[in-house]
Amino acid sequence: MRNLHAIVVFDYKGSVFNNKGRNDTAMTSLFTDATIFVFLPWVLWRLLHKALPIVVLPILIGILLAVWHAPIKELGIPSSYGDTIGWIAVLVLAFTAGLEMWQHPEGDTSVHAIASPTLGRLLAGAGVALGIPFLLGAILAYTCFLPLHGWQAPLASPLIAAASIGLCISVSALPVLIGVVRELDASQRPLGQLALKLAVVDDAALWVGLAVLQFAHRGTAALHSWTGLEFLAVALLVGLSSAGNWASRHFRHPPTWVIWVTVPIYLAAGSWASMQLGLHELIGAYFAGAIMPPSWVRRLPIEQVGTFALIWLAPMFFGHSGLRINGDALTWPSIIASFALVGISILSKIGAVYVFPPAPGLKPRQALGIGALLQCKGLMEIVAATILHEQGMLSDFAFASLMVLAVVSTVLTGPLFRLLAPR
C-alpha cells in the first residue's frame, strides 16, 4: 500500500509540474508574441510619428517573417493565447464597426462645408464607388490572374474566386478612415465626413457580400444540411433585431448597466448565429452591432474601445495573418501582380467617384480627394481576405497579393489625398 501511495503521489506531483511547465511555456510564448506584434509595432509607430496606420506595421512584420522563413515556431509563435486574444479583439472591432453605423458625423457649418447629398444620391454614389471596382476587379481576376500558376482557389469555382478577389479590391476601410479623417485639417474635414458616409454603406455591403459569397460557395448544401440549430440561429437574429427595434421606440434611455450587459449578449449571440449558419463569426459580430438600438449606441465609448482593441490586442491577429502567408507564394510574379492589383484598385475607385460624384456640386479635385480616401483598404480587406482564404475561396498566391495590396493602399492614402484634394 505504501508503494502504491508513493506512486500515486509521484504521478500527481509529476502532472502538477508538467502542467506548470506547460503554463509557463504558454505565457512565455504569449509575451514573445506580444513583443513582436504589439510592442514593436507600437514603438515603430511612435518613432515614425504615426505617419503609417498602426494596422499596417504588424502585418508587415508578419509578412517579412514568413518570407524570410524565420524559425519563430521554435519560440511558440503564433501562440495559442495570442491567437485567442487577437481573434476576440477583431470580433470587437467588427462589432464596433457595426455600432459606428449609428455614429453620424456632425454637420459642418464652415465656409468649407459641401452640400449634403440626399439619401438616394448617397446610396447611388456608394453603389457606384463599390460596384465599378468590384466588377472591374472580378473581370480582370477571371481573365488575367486566375489563369496564372497557383492563383486558382483550392475549394471554389473560378467565378467564386474571381468575385472574392473583386470584393477585396472594392473594399473601403471604415475603421482606418475614421482615424484618417480625425487628423484632417478643418478645410478638408467635410470631404472626409462625406467619405465616411460612403464607407459606412460600403462596409455594410462588404459584409453582405461576404455572406452571399459564402452561401454561393456552399451551394444548395447550405440549406439541405440545416438542422434545428440553424433555424434557432435565424430566430435568434430576428429576435435580436426585433428587440433592438422595440427598445429604440419604447426603452430609449435605460440605465447604463443595462447597456453594458446587453453588449456582450448581442456580440456573442450574433457571432454564434452566423457561425451556425455556416458564415464567418465576424459577419454576425458586425450585424449584431448594426442592430443595437441607436440611442443606446450613442452612450457607449465606441472610439475608446475600438482604439484600445486596435492598438493593444488586434495586432496579434494582423501579425498572425501575415505569418499565414505562404512565403514561397510571395515571389516576384506575385509582387508584380500585387502592384497590378494596387493600380486597378486605386484607379477604379478614384475613377468611379469622379464619374459619379456622391454629392451635387462637387468640384473635380474634391471628387478625386474622396476617391483617394475610399481606396484605402486597411483592416477591412485584411479581415475579408483572411475569411475567404480560410474557407478555400482564395489561393495562397491570391491571399499574399491581396495582403500586400492592403498594406500598400493604406500607406498611400495620405499622400494620394494630399496630392489630389484641393488645398
Side-chain angles (χ1 to χ4, degrees):
M1 289 296 292
R2 289 182 179 177
N3 290 337
L4 178 60
H5 177 71
I7 291 173
V8 171
V9 172
F10 178 78
D11 287 345
Y12 172 75
K13 289 183 176 179
S15 63
V16 170
F17 286 133
N18 287 336
N19 288 335
K20 184 177 184 299
R22 283 194 292 268
N23 289 334
D24 289 345
T25 302
M27 294 307 297
T28 301
S29 298
L30 174 61
F31 178 77
T32 308
D33 208 353
T35 300
I36 295 174
F37 294 120
V38 178
F39 300 120
L40 177 59
W42 181 82
V43 171
L44 293 173
W45 185 54
R46 300 291 294 186
L47 290 175
L48 293 170
H49 302 289
K50 303 180 182 180
L52 294 179
I54 196 169
V55 69
V56 168
L57 297 173
I59 190 70
L60 266 178
I61 292 173
I63 291 174
L64 291 175
L65 291 173
V67 171
W68 292 337
H69 298 285
I72 57 173
K73 287 186 177 179
E74 299 175 3
L75 302 175
I77 298 174
S79 65
S80 58
Y81 287 155
D83 263 338
T84 302
I85 292 171
W87 175 240
I88 292 174
V90 174
L91 278 175
V92 170
L93 287 175
F95 185 70
T96 56
L99 295 175
E100 282 165 349
M101 286 189 65
W102 307 114
Q103 301 300 299
H104 301 297
E106 298 179 1
D108 193 305
T109 58
S110 69
V111 296
H112 303 287
I114 57 180
S116 180
T118 62
L119 179 60
R121 179 67 176 263
L122 184 69
L123 293 177
V128 171
L130 186 73
I132 289 179
F134 171 75
L135 290 175
L136 185 60
I139 291 171
L140 290 176
Y142 187 85
T143 57
C144 301
F145 292 97
L146 292 183
L148 298 176
H149 173 71
W151 274 73
Q152 178 54 51
L155 300 177
S157 67
L159 282 176
I160 295 295
S164 299
I165 295 173
L167 185 66
C168 289
I169 287 176
S170 63
V171 168
S172 294
L174 177 61
V176 176
L177 273 182
I178 291 172
V180 171
V181 170
R182 290 193 191 107
E183 298 175 3
L184 293 179
D185 295 336
S187 62
Q188 297 172 326
R189 194 157 296 161
L191 291 179
Q193 299 287 9
L194 181 54
L196 276 183
K197 293 179 182 179
L198 296 169
V200 167
V201 179
D202 284 359
D203 204 35
L206 164 67
W207 297 103
V208 173
L210 282 171
V212 170
L213 278 177
Q214 289 178 78
F215 270 121
H217 173 54
R218 296 180 65 195
T220 56
L223 297 177
H224 291 167
S225 60
W226 274 32
T227 64
L229 288 176
E230 281 76 9
F231 289 103
L232 176 61
V234 173
L236 183 59
L237 291 175
V238 173
L240 290 175
S241 179
S242 300
N245 187 44
W246 178 87
S248 298
R249 291 178 295 171
H250 304 292
F251 197 40
R252 293 176 56 85
H253 305 291
T256 303
W257 68 266
V258 172
I259 300 176
W260 281 107
V261 169
T262 305
V263 164
I265 294 174
Y266 264 70
L267 175 56
S271 302
W272 177 85
S274 65
M275 178 188 67
Q276 197 60 49
L277 292 172
L279 305 175
H280 204 279
E281 294 94 323
L282 289 173
I283 296 174
Y286 176 85
F287 283 109
I291 59 180
M292 279 201 69
S295 59
W296 295 23
V297 171
R298 296 187 187 104
R299 294 170 59 187
L300 292 171
I302 300 173
E303 180 181 346
Q304 292 89 333
V305 171
T307 300
F308 180 82
L310 182 66
I311 294 177
W312 298 112
L313 302 177
M316 282 189 280
F317 173 86
F318 304 140
H320 295 176
S321 296
L323 286 177
R324 290 189 185 98
I325 287 178
N326 182 351
D328 296 327
L330 202 59
T331 58
W332 280 113
S334 292
I335 294 174
I336 294 172
S338 299
F339 283 100
L341 291 176
V342 170
I344 294 168
S345 172
I346 292 176
L347 293 176
S348 61
K349 182 70 76 171
I350 293 177
V353 178
Y354 186 82
V355 169
F356 189 84
L362 280 183
K363 297 177 181 178
R365 289 182 68 92
Q366 289 178 319
L368 291 174
I370 293 173
L373 292 175
L374 290 178
Q375 67 79 38
C376 178
K377 299 291 177 283
L379 168 65
M380 289 297 99
E381 195 209 325
I382 293 170
V383 171
T386 301
I387 292 173
L388 296 168
H389 180 248
E390 287 178 352
Q391 301 200 4
M393 299 161 70
L394 288 175
S395 68
D396 287 347
F397 283 82
F399 178 63
S401 296
L402 287 170
M403 294 295 271
V404 173
L405 165 62
V407 171
V408 174
S409 70
T410 305
V411 170
L412 290 178
T413 299
L416 273 176
F417 181 79
R418 289 191 291 271
L419 176 67
L420 298 176
R423 294 173 177 81

